Structures are given as C-alpha cells and as structure tokens.
Amino acid sequence: MDQISFPDGFVWGAATAAFQVEGSTTADGRTDSIWDAFCRLPGAIVGGHTGEPAADHYNRVEQDVKLMVDLGLQAYRFSIAWPRVRPDGGAANQAGLDFYGRLVDTLLANGIKPWVTLYHWDLPQALEDKGGWAERDTAYRFADYATTVVESLGDRVTSWTTLNEPWCSSFLGYAAGVHAPGRREPEAAVAAVHHLLLGHGLATSAIRAVQSDAEVGITLNLYPVFPADPESAADVDAARRLDGMQNRMFLDPVLRGEYPADVVEDFTPYKFIENVRDGDLEIISTPLDMLGVNYYSEHNVSTVSDGLVPLRNGRRQSGSPWVGLDQLSFPTRNLPRTDMDWEVQPDGLTKVLRRLHDEYPRLPLYITENGAAYPDAVNGDGGVHDPDRLGFIESHLRAAHNAIAAGVDLRGYFCWSLLDNFEWAEGYAKRFGIVHVDYDTQVRTPKASARWYAKVTRENALVATGGL
Ligand code: FCB
C-alpha cells in the first residue's frame, strides 16, 4: 500500500453525541429532550430501546478520555445536551454545566482539544410542546442556550459547532417522522429548516459576543446526488430537487446568504418563504470560521417508484423526508453496503469536498463524521475484528486525501464514532464505534479498526493494515 501522508497540523479525532452515549437521562436535573419522549412512542425505536444506558459516558469520563489518549486522538467532538444545561429550555442548571466542565478539563489535561457541538438533535421537550423548530421563537431560545454554554466553557473551549445536520432535524424529525419529534407535517419541516438556520446565525453571533476569538462552524450532511437514469427528465428533475433540499438549501443561505430559487419554488405549496423575514438571511450568513462535513454515502435517485414510499435502511419508512417528491426510489448499484444498508462509495466524499471548493466561498473544511455500522461481536480471543469498517475508513481517508491533493483546504477528520452507541431510530442494533461497547457490562473493547486508527493518528499517514 502506498504511504499517504496528511498535511502538518491535520486534526485527527473521533465523534459522539450526547444522547447517543451519555445515558443518565434524569441525572443532576436533566429533563426530557424530544428523543426521550420519542423513545416512549410504541414502535418508534427498534427494540423499544431508549437513551438508557447508552454507553454510560456520563459516568465514565476518565475511562473514555483514557481510551482517546490510547487512540492518539487530538480532538474529541462531542455535543452538549441542551436539557442538561437548560432543563425544559429554562434557566441554567449548574450541575449539568459542571458535567461538561469536568469533561473539558479531563480532555485538556490529556492534551485533547474539545470540539463542541451545541445541538445534536436533543431539543428540550418543553420547547417542542410550544411548537419546536416549526416555531420561530425556538431559534432565539437556542441562541440563549448557546450564550449559557459559552459563558460556562468559553474560558477553555474555542471550537464551536452550532448545529449537527439540520437536514435530519427538520426533514427526518418533522416530515418523515422517523426521528424525534416524530411529526409528519411537511409545512412544519420546511419551517424548521429556516428556524434551525436562523438559530445557527443567532447562536454564531451569541458565541462571538462572549468569546471574540471563537472558531465557529456548522456541520452539514452532504451527499452527491445522481439521477439513476440520466436520460430520464423525471429522474434528472428529482435529482435536482433532492440535491436542493439535501445540500443547497443549507449551503446556499449559510455561505451565500440566499436560498436557492428553485427550492423556494419547489416548496411554495408548503409556504416555505412565509417563514423568512427581512434580515434573516444576513443573520444566517454570518461569516464562519469553518465548515463541518458529515459524509456517509451518495443518493442515486429514480422516479421509477417501486410502488411504495422510499426504501431506506432496509425497511419501509412510514413517512418520507423528501417533501414534494412522491415517486422516488434509490436503486441498488451493486456497491457494497453497510449494516445500515447505505452504499459504500468513497469517491462521493471527494466529490462533496471538491464541490464545496469549486462552487462555494471557501472555508477551512473538517470531516466531522464518517464511518460505518457493521454487526461486530467480541470473539473468543477477546478481540473485535472489523475489517469492513477498517476498509471503509481507509478508503474514505484516501478519498479525503485525493481532495487535499486537488487543492481542497481540508484540515481534519473525525471518525464516527468513538464508541458503539444509540443509533437513533435503530436503537442499539447498529454499531458504528471503533470501540465496542457491551451494553450489559459497559466493557469497552477497541476494535481492530481502532488499533489501526491509532497508528494513523500518530503517524499522520495511512499505514499498513496488516497484523491487526
Ligand atoms: C449521522 C448523525 C450521527 C450518527 C451517524 C451514523 O447522521 O449525525 O449522530 O447517527 O449519522
């Protein structure tokens, strides 16, 4: 294998999110998030799983930071649970803030940079009861929450991400209903897009008002989108629409200060533009210091419907996130698939990065998530052999390197995930960790991919995969 080195100063990290790893959902004053409530809905989550026990990260900070040290991580991307630090969206809760203070202190004592995401999907349920992200006021509550966090941690944390994947929060949560809060209201979904982005802009300024040298970004889940049949006008148009609502609807307002005109038109029946007030786009396009990219796969889009709603994750969804697109399927392309049934397509990562470089105002880029679920098990010898995941990460690092070689300003890579965890609607059934978690005993076992990744982080280069 060729030795491929990354630029000096390239940041190597791993990512998690509060609800997926912390557990302790009622500790120290935390109240319900939309995910706690959603987990109680019969049939919402595979196996009826909940945010308990997750990976019990709340009680295992020392142990987990030690794992990060063993992996040679330079940065740890984690999120803060809004309902811990401002329960019910109300006043600040010192006990909740103290948990993150301890985590940050432990990371810094071990030379690991805290990379903080403010919103990884756990809106306080009390705010959802007032309308959630479909309500404009939630954007302002988010900025208040951001202020609380930065006032508490801003003396030690400099890297802030406002939102993780607002596409999921809006379209999976409010249109498909497969994520919390489980609503199937397309009008609410497109309103949520705007209010999330408004919250992002307001929070960006709120962070800087407290910490003038803050590095602020947003993380988007971006996909190359293709028409399955390039000769079919319907497929081509579906791909345009899908690219619009997946990618451009977030990139354009944040980076260019405008919503894409075609998407605004597509969403006329859902009254999208009625949510947008004078001055909002200036707030949303407040300049950023970095952009986070989460990359998992591509969308190969067909309008030759298989007769039902789209098939994703190996099962039929009861609602579709693709607002306004009724006839849609994602035909198989004979590519390998992960345990999520997502196609493995590393070239798509290069494409996403190059598109940002070629088509948008340039910002330092970070891959804030990339990884794969496979059905791992601890073997008789006590190890977890996960060659598929190792190969997935390796091929995507090569793809990232190709983008750097083409001139893209890519500055870091965070694998998803440090630990096996609660994979949202899939519960604990899907394992994304490079470290295996036994949910009964909470024993952590670094998988072969983790041992390999530790070498990569130390050498700042892709290293041979043998001997693991
Ligand atoms: C992303 C989420 C992350 C995780 C991965 C698999 O969409 O940001 O929390 O669930 O997918």
Side-chain angles (χ1 to χ4, degrees):
M1 180 174 92
D2 304 342
Q3 170 93 4
I4 291 182
S5 296
F6 284 79
D8 287 346
F10 195 80
V11 176
W12 293 100
T16 64
F19 193 74
Q20 295 181 273
V21 295
E22 286 178 359
S24 299
T25 54
T26 55
D28 299 328
R30 184 187 180 283
T31 56
D32 273 0
S33 73
I34 52 176
W35 274 93
D36 298 272
F38 188 60
C39 287
R40 290 183 202 117
L41 290 180
I45 314 290
V46 168
H49 297 163
T50 71
E52 301 281 4
D56 195 30
H57 188 52
Y58 195 74
N59 296 309
R60 290 167 194 268
V61 163
E62 291 285 338
Q63 179 185 1
D64 289 342
V65 173
K66 165 87 174 55
L67 265 175
M68 298 176 212
V69 171
D70 293 345
L71 294 176
L73 300 191
Q74 297 154 4
Y76 174 47
R77 175 177 181 251
F78 62 95
S79 79
I80 298 209
W82 187 345
R84 272 195 208 289
V85 308
R86 293 191 61 151
D88 293 335
N93 171 32
Q94 194 55 46
L97 288 163
D98 286 347
F99 165 69
Y100 296 104
R102 278 199 306 281
L103 172 58
V104 163
D105 288 343
T106 311
L107 290 167
L108 292 174
N110 286 280
I112 298 171
K113 181 170 179 163
W115 198 281
V116 175
T117 299
L118 290 169
Y119 188 70
H120 202 127
W121 307 355
D122 40 7
L123 182 73
Q125 177 61 31
L127 295 183
E128 176 56 32
D129 292 341
K130 294 181 182 158
W133 288 110
E135 277 299 316
R136 187 176 173 91
D137 187 58
T138 304
Y140 293 87
R141 301 287 73 76
F142 178 60
D144 292 346
Y145 152 67
T147 299
T148 299
V149 173
V150 183
E151 281 175 349
S152 172
L153 301 177
D155 55 338
R156 289 157 287 170
V157 173
T158 54
S159 175
W160 304 98
T161 299
T162 53
L163 305 176
N164 176 74
E165 301 189 356
W167 180 85
C168 295
S169 303
S170 47
F171 290 108
L172 293 181
Y174 290 83
V178 292
H179 276 190
R183 289 164 63 178
R184 297 199 189 121
E185 302 162 36
E187 274 183 36
V190 300
V193 170
H194 183 64
H195 299 142
L196 281 153
L197 291 175
L198 182 64
H200 153 75
L202 293 167
T204 300
S205 299
I207 294 166
R208 294 218 180 96
V210 181
Q211 190 188 48
S212 56
D213 60 345
E215 295 162 17
V216 188
I218 186 171
T219 277
L220 302 175
N221 51 329
L222 303 174
Y223 291 73
V225 181
F226 305 104
D229 175 3
E231 304 296 316
S232 151
D235 283 12
V236 169
D237 194 54
R240 174 195 64 73
R241 288 182 73 132
L242 205 134
D243 174 52
M245 70 181 102
Q246 176 81 65
N247 301 315
R248 293 181 288 116
M249 195 175 194
F250 297 91
L251 289 169
D252 288 22
V254 168
L255 298 177
R256 293 189 184 139
E258 59 193 22
Y259 281 110
D262 62 320
V263 182
V264 171
E265 201 182 317
D266 293 341
F267 285 156
T268 304
Y270 311 100
K271 307 189 178 83
F272 170 69
I273 209 66
E274 292 175 28
N275 298 292
V276 183
R277 298 194 188 161
D278 281 353
D280 284 0
L281 280 155
E282 273 169 74
I283 295 170
I284 291 171
S285 58
T286 303
L288 297 177
D289 303 288
M290 57 189 172
L291 179 67
V293 176
N294 290 357
Y295 177 76
Y296 289 96
S297 194
E298 296 183 335
H299 289 318
N300 180 46
V301 181
S302 172
T303 49
V304 180
S305 172
D306 55 6
L308 292 161
V309 291
L311 178 67
R312 301 296 282 175
N313 301 356
R315 63 167 196 252
R316 302 219 169 266
Q317 295 177 1
S318 38
S320 166
W322 308 114
V323 169
L325 274 167
D326 306 326
Q327 292 271 98
L328 204 61
S329 60
F330 297 88
T332 309
R333 292 185 296 177
N334 292 321
L335 290 165
R337 291 182 176 239
T338 69
D339 199 27
M340 296 292 280
D341 211 28
W342 296 345
E343 286 180 349
V344 179
Q345 182 45 283
D347 288 348
L349 175 58
T350 317
K351 288 189 187 118
V352 161
L353 295 171
R354 291 195 66 164
R355 180 187 196 183
L356 293 171
H357 182 78
D358 293 341
E359 296 179 23
Y360 286 92
R362 290 179 188 164
L363 277 177
L365 303 177
Y366 291 86
I367 296 167
T368 39
E369 284 182 29
N370 174 243
Y374 289 105
D376 313 294
V378 180
N379 292 343
D381 62 4
V384 180
H385 301 290
D386 60 342
D388 289 336
R389 179 175 298 97
L390 196 159
F392 183 100
I393 296 175
E394 197 222 334
S395 62
H396 286 75
L397 286 175
R398 279 179 187 276
H401 195 274
N402 288 342
I404 295 172
V408 174
D409 185 10
L410 179 68
R411 306 235 180 136
Y413 177 91
F414 293 76
C415 76
W416 182 271
S417 176
L418 174 69
L419 301 166
D420 286 339
N421 60 48
F422 175 83
E423 178 45 37
W424 308 114
E426 305 292 334
Y428 298 101
K430 305 294 177 198
R431 293 183 176 272
F432 272 91
I434 56 172
V435 175
H436 181 275
V437 175
D438 178 324
Y439 295 111
D440 293 329
T441 61
Q442 292 296 337
V443 166
R444 276 92 163 112
T445 307
K447 303 176 190 177
S449 57
R451 298 207 302 277
W452 171 78
Y453 191 60
K455 293 190 194 171
V456 172
T457 63
R458 293 215 163 82
E459 300 198 12
N460 198 31
L462 285 184
V463 296
T465 56
L468 295 163

